[in-house]
Amino acid sequence: MDWQGQKLAEQIMQIMLLVSAVISFVAGYVLGSFQMMMIIYAGGVTLTALITVPNWPFFNRHPLNWLDPIEAEKHPKPQVAGSSKKKGSKK
Amino acid sequence: MHSFWYRLNGLLTFSVTILAIMCAIASLSDNLNTPSPSAEIQVMNINWFQKQPQGNDEVSLTMNISADLQSLFTWNTKQLFIFVAAEYETPKNSLNQVSLWDAIIPAKEHAKFWIHTSNKYRFVDQGNYLRGKEFNLTLHWHVMPKTGKMFADKIVLTGYSFPEEYR
């Protein structure tokens, strides 16, 4: 998941859980059934989990541009003073 | 939020916290209820009234208890615990309360009832002061919630008295 995706996942999770809580409380109160409140809330939590926890593709629409390995070899890492210059090992 | 387990952990903690808040609000909603319970107790018979060998008075009575406690139930009520106690004053104790009978009412449908019963628990005085004594019968109830605060209250019924002599 990329950074934008993580932010989106967190926002969706918080909003969906709060909305589930409100809907389930109102439904339970109006129906006079504590059990209905718990069932609806559990359903809401499960739905939120299915949408926000797995690494869905739509969370990865702004992927990070990692540097190409060939490109990285052309720019070796800075050396510690005193040791001789070495080339990075080929992978 | 950068891995599956992080997100799962966050979701579980947040959902449980929200659940705790929902339960607190559910308990607060019980305060909106304005109950109107009613009850009546008739002492049908004093079965016997004796002095024990140790010197304490004991009495056995048969009561007819009828009550309508349906208005005490809310969506957040698990059960109602009710009991009948006799209250009276003696030279030894300024207030005596003796529990005579109790019951658990699990649902609103069972809260309107009458029962013809003798006292479930023995009625023994601390002393021998019961002859001719006036006493009150109180019906107490505890509204036990599914979550949150328990409410307790009572109805006091006056005008009962023991016989003048043992029988």
Side-chain angles (χ1 to χ4, degrees):
Chain A
M1 227 188 245
D2 60 56
W3 301 117
Q4 300 279 45
Q6 289 175 34
K7 181 176 169 187
L8 185 64
E10 184 163 355
Q11 283 178 335
I12 292 178
M13 182 196 296
Q14 287 171 341
I15 291 176
M16 277 189 73
L17 284 178
L18 285 172
V19 165
S20 300
V22 168
I23 291 178
S24 64
F25 188 87
V26 168
Y29 190 76
V30 162
L31 292 170
S33 167
F34 199 87
Q35 191 171 27
M36 275 322 285
M37 177 176 95
M38 294 305 289
I39 290 174
I40 296 174
Y41 184 61
V45 170
T46 314
L47 187 67
T48 310
L50 286 172
I51 291 180
T52 62
V53 173
N55 196 5
W56 300 115
F58 65 83
F59 285 126
N60 211 14
R61 281 192 286 216
H62 306 268
L64 298 162
N65 282 320
W66 291 105
L67 212 48
D68 214 29
I70 308 284
E71 195 64 37
E73 278 199 17
K74 287 187 193 162
H75 307 273
K77 289 202 267 194
Q79 299 301 312
V80 179
S83 61
S84 54
K85 219 178 186 183
K86 320 182 250 212
K87 251 203 158 171
S89 54
K90 289 198 202 267
K91 283 212 174 141
Chain B
M1 288 297 183
H2 56 78
S3 84
F4 180 91
W5 295 107
Y6 270 56
R7 287 191 293 276
L8 187 64
N9 183 37
L11 179 132
L12 287 172
T13 356
F14 195 46
S15 64
V16 170
T17 309
I18 292 179
L19 182 64
I21 296 175
M22 278 161 60
C23 287
I25 299 176
S27 178
L28 286 173
S29 79
D30 275 350
N31 289 309
L32 299 171
N33 190 35
T34 51
S36 51
S38 63
E40 207 184 276
I41 305 179
Q42 273 180 299
V43 176
M44 304 301 288
N45 188 31
I46 305 269
N47 305 329
W48 46 265
F49 181 20
Q50 288 296 316
K51 185 170 176 169
Q52 289 180 337
Q54 300 94 331
N56 296 327
D57 282 349
E58 184 175 348
V59 65
S60 164
L61 30 73
T62 302
M63 299 172 285
N64 196 348
I65 306 168
S66 65
D68 181 1
L69 303 172
Q70 288 186 321
S71 57
L72 292 168
F73 274 83
T74 69
W75 71 305
N76 186 28
T77 301
K78 165 108 176 52
Q79 64 194 16
L80 215 56
F81 173 71
I82 60 174
F83 65 95
V84 170
E87 292 179 354
Y88 57 94
E89 192 185 319
T90 60
K92 186 166 187 233
N93 302 320
S94 61
L95 176 63
N96 298 278
Q97 290 171 308
V98 184
S99 181
L100 299 177
W101 174 86
D102 55 31
I104 287 181
I105 303 180
K108 193 170 179 172
E109 300 77 49
H110 303 134
K112 190 168 183 179
F113 67 95
W114 68 266
I115 179 170
H116 188 93
T117 176
S118 62
N119 48 315
K120 201 170 172 184
Y121 305 109
R122 294 172 65 165
F123 191 161
V124 181
D125 186 27
Q126 287 182 335
N128 54 356
Y129 305 107
L130 293 186
R131 278 162 294 172
K133 171 79 55 191
E134 280 179 15
F135 63 98
N136 294 340
L137 285 174
T138 47
L139 177 70
H140 296 246
W141 57 81
H142 286 59
V143 183
M144 299 169 72
K146 291 194 167 95
T147 164
K149 182 173 177 232
M150 183 172 82
F151 294 84
D153 204 352
K154 61 185 181 185
I155 284 183
V156 181
L157 303 158
T158 59
Y160 307 91
S161 57
F162 293 106
E164 298 287 345
E165 292 303 322
Y166 293 128
R167 40 166 128 142

